[in-house]
Amino acid sequence: MPNGVETAPERRTWRLDAAALAVAAVLLRLPAFLASRHLTFDDGQYGAVVLGLRAGELPFRDLFSSQGPLYYPLLAVADVVGLRSLNGPRLLPVAAGAIAVVATYAIGRHLGTRTAAVLAAVLVATSGSLLYVTAPLSGDGPALALALCAVALSLRFRARPSTARAIAAGVAMGAAVCIKLIVVPAAIPVGILLLGLAPGRWVPRRAGIRALGTAVASAVVVLVATVVPWGPQRVWDQSVAYHQDSERLRSYGGNFTTLLQTLAERDPFLVLAVIMGLVALAWRWTRSRRGGSPVAPGAPSAPDVIGASARWIVLPWLGLQAVFLVIEPTMWRPHVAQVVVPLALATVLLGVPSWRVVAALCIALTPWWFGNVRDIAWPNAYPTPEAAIVERLRTLPSNALVISDDPGFAWRAERRVPPNFVDVSKKRFQQGQLTLAVVGRAADSNAVCAVLIWSRERLGSLPGLPSRLEDSGFEITARLDGTSERVLYERSDCAPPDA
């Protein structure tokens, strides 16, 4: 309902739809939640962070923190809720996935009809790009979920303005930015809605300015509350300056190509809907130019198409988010998840001629979708050589430290990594934060019992490291598939302190 859910039957319908969508989203993510291996580099990296948090290590002070100041505390909360089990922290991304789907539905209900809202939510629930950041551990998923809540709350404010709703929208947007700055474009629809600039319920100018000011102040309070405990300079250096100093991975055109390729591979249902929507839009435009009926055969009627207000809300959001990704120096494929929701909503705005046809074609595309997201949708256990590495790490003393350029192996063996090595991304090697001297000094600690070299772009990029480790008493105990690139070093005389 464009002006908000008001009647008791509509509220009941809203709750039933939201519950069904949330359950479906959780079920899609359940295999990844239960996976016995780390599913992505980030999944293993943040798993290692959780083990450090359990040991009393602090974000930014002990643990290198490339995400915003709210992310590690949320991981700690998820770990407690998950009863400190190995997979317990994954409750955070799974919950984020369910919240993102329900928030998409809520946005759709405010902008259009129940049908439009459900269709947009289903496209988001089945998005492979979203699965990759809302099943394994990742900062992108929780940040996106909170940003969507901010947009939904702003729409609720437009329907029924109040100071409390403006504060709630500001808190949600502030919390999202305090996890990951990549969600900043979602602030555009929030600002438009609070100011009353979008068509719909009229908001007096002063009231709109006051509401926006209230939301901004609320966001600032969240920012200050999450930054001050760790130290503003540390937070800036690790979560902002660190990313600004990164080398560009590819050109603007390369980023745009990666964006399209990722959507084609991981989101074929959404891409299909977009293509059909564009065709329908072109058909209606052509018919209107010729003086005929602008409605395509089988197209939804006017109430089923998102109204004019969505053009003010969704399209600027989508455009700015796409530009944000294209100009991002280090755009990774998981970042593409940020455009999925505005693109899904814009697709409903275009008005697909026949959702029955889309559904049939989506069924035909399911093997393609599954083939590209199988690692997340239905993950396997570790291959035998990698499982053997984890088992060897488990034989180390329970309080031993492990240096690895893929911390996920240490996490699955329930062994901590040195606090400075929870983030061993390629950028830290490029910026000279992790050098041969730094790694060597860390390996000299009596608490470090093993060093696992896994990538030629990280620890493998330090040519003098093998001899440095041998000088420190480390010996090769395993080579994955007999290669010289992936090697496990162990030291028999290590002496980690008592836990």
Side-chain angles (χ1 to χ4, degrees):
M1 183 174 177
N3 290 324
V5 179
E6 297 292 342
T7 68
E10 286 169 341
R11 285 196 296 270
R12 191 180 310 113
T13 299
W14 197 103
R15 291 167 183 163
L16 290 173
D17 287 348
L21 289 165
V23 169
V26 170
L27 290 176
L28 277 172
R29 288 153 178 80
L30 195 57
F33 174 80
L34 299 173
S36 60
R37 59 175 297 172
H38 67 287
L39 301 172
T40 63
F41 180 79
D42 282 356
D43 192 39
Q45 175 173 291
Y46 299 130
V49 166
V50 170
L51 296 184
L53 293 171
R54 289 182 190 175
E57 295 166 350
L58 297 176
F60 298 102
R61 298 184 183 181
D62 304 312
L63 301 164
F64 185 87
S65 308
S66 61
Q67 303 298 295
L70 186 58
Y71 184 51
Y72 285 8
L74 286 179
L75 283 178
V77 171
D79 186 38
V80 172
V81 175
L83 304 178
R84 298 205 164 184
S85 60
L86 199 57
N87 287 351
R90 286 177 176 158
L91 286 173
L92 178 60
V94 171
I99 291 170
V101 171
V102 173
T104 301
Y105 171 77
I107 294 169
R109 284 299 297 264
H110 280 284
L111 294 176
T113 65
R114 178 189 181 191
T115 301
V118 169
L119 291 172
V122 168
L123 288 173
V124 171
T126 56
S127 164
S129 293
L130 215 65
L131 273 177
Y132 270 88
V133 297
T134 57
L137 293 171
S138 169
D140 293 82
L144 175 60
L146 284 166
L148 294 176
C149 287
V151 176
L153 288 166
S154 299
L155 282 161
R156 185 63 177 166
F157 171 87
R158 185 184 68 162
R160 299 179 63 183
S162 74
T163 301
R165 292 187 178 92
I167 292 173
V171 168
M173 195 67 232
V177 172
C178 285
I179 296 176
K180 208 171 182 74
L181 288 172
I182 199 172
V183 299
V184 163
I188 296 299
V190 172
I192 290 173
L193 288 163
L194 293 178
L195 283 173
L197 298 179
R201 187 183 181 94
W202 181 75
V203 177
R205 177 176 296 180
R206 288 186 179 180
I209 294 174
R210 185 166 57 249
L212 181 61
T214 300
V216 171
S218 302
V220 170
V221 169
V222 174
L223 178 64
V224 171
T226 56
V227 167
V228 169
W230 318 122
Q233 189 61 52
R234 293 192 191 98
V235 173
W236 175 267
D237 290 341
Q238 295 181 35
S239 65
V240 180
Y242 165 66
H243 296 289
Q244 291 178 336
D245 294 339
S246 300
E247 296 181 11
R248 174 165 287 280
L249 290 177
R250 58 183 81 85
S251 65
Y252 297 148
N255 275 359
F256 185 67
T257 300
T258 299
L259 171 65
L260 296 181
Q261 180 181 351
T262 301
L263 288 173
E265 292 176 355
R266 297 180 177 178
D267 297 282
F269 309 140
L270 177 56
V271 171
L272 173 66
V274 170
I275 292 173
M276 293 192 68
L278 289 171
V279 170
L281 183 65
W283 191 92
R284 290 196 298 270
W285 182 79
T286 302
R287 291 283 295 173
S288 64
R289 285 288 298 263
R290 294 175 178 175
S293 172
V295 180
S301 58
D304 290 320
V305 181
I306 291 180
S309 61
R311 296 179 175 86
W312 285 73
I313 299 165
V314 179
L315 295 182
W317 175 16
L318 172 61
L320 184 60
Q321 189 67 73
V323 170
F324 200 92
L325 294 182
V326 168
I327 66 175
E328 170 65 27
T330 53
M331 190 199 86
W332 302 101
R333 297 186 78 189
H335 296 163
V336 175
Q338 302 300 328
V339 302
V340 167
V341 174
L343 186 57
L345 291 168
T347 298
V348 183
L349 164 65
L350 292 172
V352 175
S354 172
W355 283 103
R356 291 185 179 89
V357 174
V358 172
L361 292 174
C362 284
I363 292 173
L365 284 173
T366 298
W368 171 267
W369 173 84
F370 186 73
N372 283 291
V373 302
R374 188 187 188 285
D375 288 345
I376 300 297
W378 197 261
N380 291 324
Y382 281 120
T384 300
E386 296 177 12
I389 294 290
V390 174
E391 288 304 317
R392 284 202 66 91
L393 294 180
R394 285 194 180 122
T395 65
L396 300 175
S398 60
N399 50 342
L401 298 183
V402 176
I403 294 176
S404 174
D405 52 11
D406 192 339
F409 292 104
W411 172 46
R412 299 314 297 187
E414 297 189 78
R415 298 297 180 267
R416 291 191 298 120
V417 302
N420 190 39
F421 288 81
V422 291
D423 188 321
V424 285
S425 59
K426 185 169 64 174
K427 291 189 290 187
R428 295 197 70 202
F429 288 89
Q430 292 173 342
Q431 294 180 24
Q433 296 185 21
L434 296 178
T435 62
L436 177 59
V438 171
V439 176
R441 283 195 300 269
D444 287 340
S445 169
N446 289 332
V448 175
C449 295
V451 176
L452 176 60
I453 300 175
W454 197 255
S455 169
R456 67 174 60 183
E457 295 181 327
R458 296 189 284 272
L459 287 180
S461 68
L462 306 176
L465 183 57
S467 59
R468 178 68 172 79
L469 293 175
E470 291 171 3
D471 291 342
S472 297
F474 286 88
E475 297 179 349
I476 295 176
T477 57
R479 291 183 183 272
L480 192 73
D481 298 330
T483 67
S484 59
E485 295 178 2
R486 295 180 170 180
V487 183
L488 175 64
Y489 290 84
E490 295 182 55
R491 186 170 60 186
S492 59
D493 63 347
C494 67
D498 293 335

